Amino acid sequence: GGEQQRAAIARAMAHRPQLLLADEPTAELDTHSGADVLRMLRGLVDHEGMTVVMSSHDRKAADYADSISVLRDGRLVS
């Protein structure tokens, strides 16, 4: 699973999109690999001007975000 996740991220990045939608980008990855992916996404925002919209259940992923929205039972709560 982790190899497939990394390959999917690489495919998405190959085209250098202005907007990247990332649904659980750290799923199936170990802690170290997940942190690498989050740092890479943050770098793309900071250095390439890319916009990344990410959904995640990983609370540590929020540490890399500029803004956070929280959904609970399908409703925006914060």
Side-chain angles (χ1 to χ4, degrees):
E3 291 294 323
Q4 289 176 343
Q5 188 75 344
R6 285 192 287 272
I9 291 167
R11 278 193 310 274
M13 302 315 310
H15 300 289
R16 294 286 182 199
Q18 292 179 356
L19 171 65
L20 177 67
L21 302 175
D23 182 17
E24 298 283 352
T26 59
E28 305 290 330
L29 299 178
D30 60 59
T31 303
H32 178 73
S33 296
D36 285 345
V37 166
L38 292 170
R39 281 191 296 272
M40 178 197 64
L41 293 174
R42 182 74 243 179
L44 291 168
V45 170
D46 293 340
H47 304 295
E48 303 291 330
M50 184 181 294
T51 299
V52 176
V53 177
M54 175 176 56
S55 67
S56 182
H57 287 89
D58 180 3
R59 292 186 180 261
K60 291 181 182 181
D63 295 340
Y64 293 84
D66 289 329
S67 99
I68 302 164
S69 297
V70 177
L71 296 175
R72 183 173 296 122
D73 299 326
R75 296 191 188 275
L76 185 63
V77 295
S78 68

